[in-house]
Amino acid sequence: MKQLRIRVLAGVFVVAGVLSWAGARLWNSIGTLPGVPLAAPVVLALIAVVLLATALSLRARFKAQRERRPGAKGVDPLMAARAVVFGQASALVAALVAGMYGGTGVFLLELLDIPARRDQALYAGFSVLAGIAVIASALFLERVCKLPEEDDQNHTGAEPVA
C-alpha cells in the first residue's frame, strides 16, 4: 500500500480552492451563492476525532503487543490495513472539501459587510481547519500502522502490518 503524499493533498486542496473561488464568483454574478452549512465543520471534526481515536487505540495495542504484555490483544493485519485505507480516503476527501470551502471562504471575504455572508465565511474557515485536522489525524493513523524499515526487521517483537 502506498503512503499518502502531502504534495498530493496540497495539490487537491489548491485546485479545489481555485475552482471553488472561480465558481463562487460566477455563481454570485448569476444569482445568489449557496450557503456554507454549519454541519460542514462539525462533520469534519467528528471524522478527525474518529481517526485520532482509532490511531491512538491501534498505537496502544501495537505497543502492548511489542512489549509482549500478558493479555495483550493483538491487531488483525486486515483491520490495520482497513484503518489505513479509511484514513487515506478521509484525507483525500477532506483535502477536496477543505479546498472547496476555502475557495468559497476567500470569495466571501469580499462580502464581510453583509452579516449573513460574514457567518458563512466563518463556517468556511472552520471547515478548512477541521479538514486540516482530518488530514493530520489520517497521516498520524498511517504512521501508526506503518511497517518497520528493512533494517528494523531483525527486531523480535510483533510489528503492525498495513
Side-chain angles (χ1 to χ4, degrees), residues 77-137:
L78 188 58
M79 185 191 77
R82 286 179 181 158
V84 170
V85 169
F86 171 61
Q88 288 180 346
S90 297
L92 286 168
V93 170
L96 179 68
V97 170
M100 287 173 39
Y101 285 129
T104 303
V106 168
F107 171 74
L108 290 172
L109 289 176
E110 301 169 7
L111 307 171
L112 287 180
D113 54 334
I114 303 169
R117 293 301 184 193
R118 190 175 328 131
D119 291 342
Q120 296 297 308
L122 192 62
Y123 298 158
F126 284 139
S127 296
V128 171
L129 291 176
I132 291 170
V134 169
I135 292 168
S137 297

Side-chain angles (χ1 to χ4, degrees), residues 39-52 126-127 129-131 133-134 137:
V42 173
V43 170
L44 286 169
L46 285 174
I47 293 170
V49 168
V50 168
L51 286 170
L52 184 62
F126 284 139
S127 296
L129 291 176
V134 169
S137 297

Side-chain angles (χ1 to χ4, degrees), residues 16 28 31 59 83 101 104 159-160:
N28 194 49
R59 184 176 73 166
Y101 285 129
T104 303
E159 297 295 331

